[in-house]
Amino acid sequence: MRIVIAEDDALLREGLALLLRAEGLDVVATAGTPAEFLAAVSEHEPDVAIVDVRMPPTHTDEGIVAAREARGLRPGLAVLVLSAYVEQTFATELLAGGAERLGYLLKERVGRVEEFLAALDRVAAGGTAIDPEVVGQLLARSRSDAGLGRLTPREREVLSLMAEGLGNTAIAERMVVTDGAVHKNIRSIFAKLGLAPTDQVDRRVIAVLRYLDDTARR
């Protein structure tokens, strides 16, 4: 796995690089600005980019913009975005083009090394990894008229784990239930959110984006 890190905080940037290299991963470049990051993507053709949301010069959404540009330069690039806070608008913007090979984690998650590495592996393998704290806040603030208000507590828990990027078996293990029970809850979630089985979309992604978008528009 070839990795590029884009983070303007030099201490965090080098700390991440040391952590990943200690785990045997190939950090091919680090960058402190969006321009340096995009140049590194072009030169090194990484498999994964770890990108801070807020980067110079304005420290607003430069990281998100650069992540989108990087995926244009290298289609299929997996991107794991790091943020100091839950920023619903940026999460929605990042995922709007599809959630495959994308992750959104709070920076504090980096300190929980096993969880951070698991999220990195999931994104690199083509999945989605959304921080549980982000999921929890978005679910708690979602409006009932988005269809989420009709979900049972168990269905909301299943949806939150879907949003973290977990598959049915992993959800079943986390909740200590059978795969069949998880599948039944997911069918019910899709029905209550009006996601028909004939839709030519990834219904799991759409279910997550439904409440991300709803919360961002508030």
Side-chain angles (χ1 to χ4, degrees), residues 135-214:
V135 172
Q137 289 196 32
L138 294 175
L139 280 173
R141 296 176 57 186
S142 293
R143 299 177 300 180
S144 61
D145 63 5
L148 297 171
R150 297 195 295 273
L151 301 184
T152 66
R154 177 56 60 91
E155 289 166 352
R156 292 171 71 89
E157 183 178 2
V158 169
L159 179 55
S160 72
L161 294 174
M162 287 168 58
E164 289 181 39
L166 300 185
N168 289 12
T169 299
I171 292 173
E173 292 174 353
R174 181 80 67 88
M175 297 178 65
V176 195
V177 298
T178 65
D179 283 7
V182 173
H183 185 65
K184 181 179 179 180
N185 277 288
I186 291 175
R187 286 203 313 268
S188 179
I189 290 168
F190 291 159
K192 290 178 180 180
L193 295 183
L195 299 174
T198 55
D199 288 347
Q200 299 300 307
V201 295
D202 185 333
R203 291 187 294 167
R204 298 175 78 95
V205 172
I206 296 301
V208 172
L209 289 178
R210 181 72 57 84
Y211 68 76
L212 283 172
D213 183 63
D214 180 76

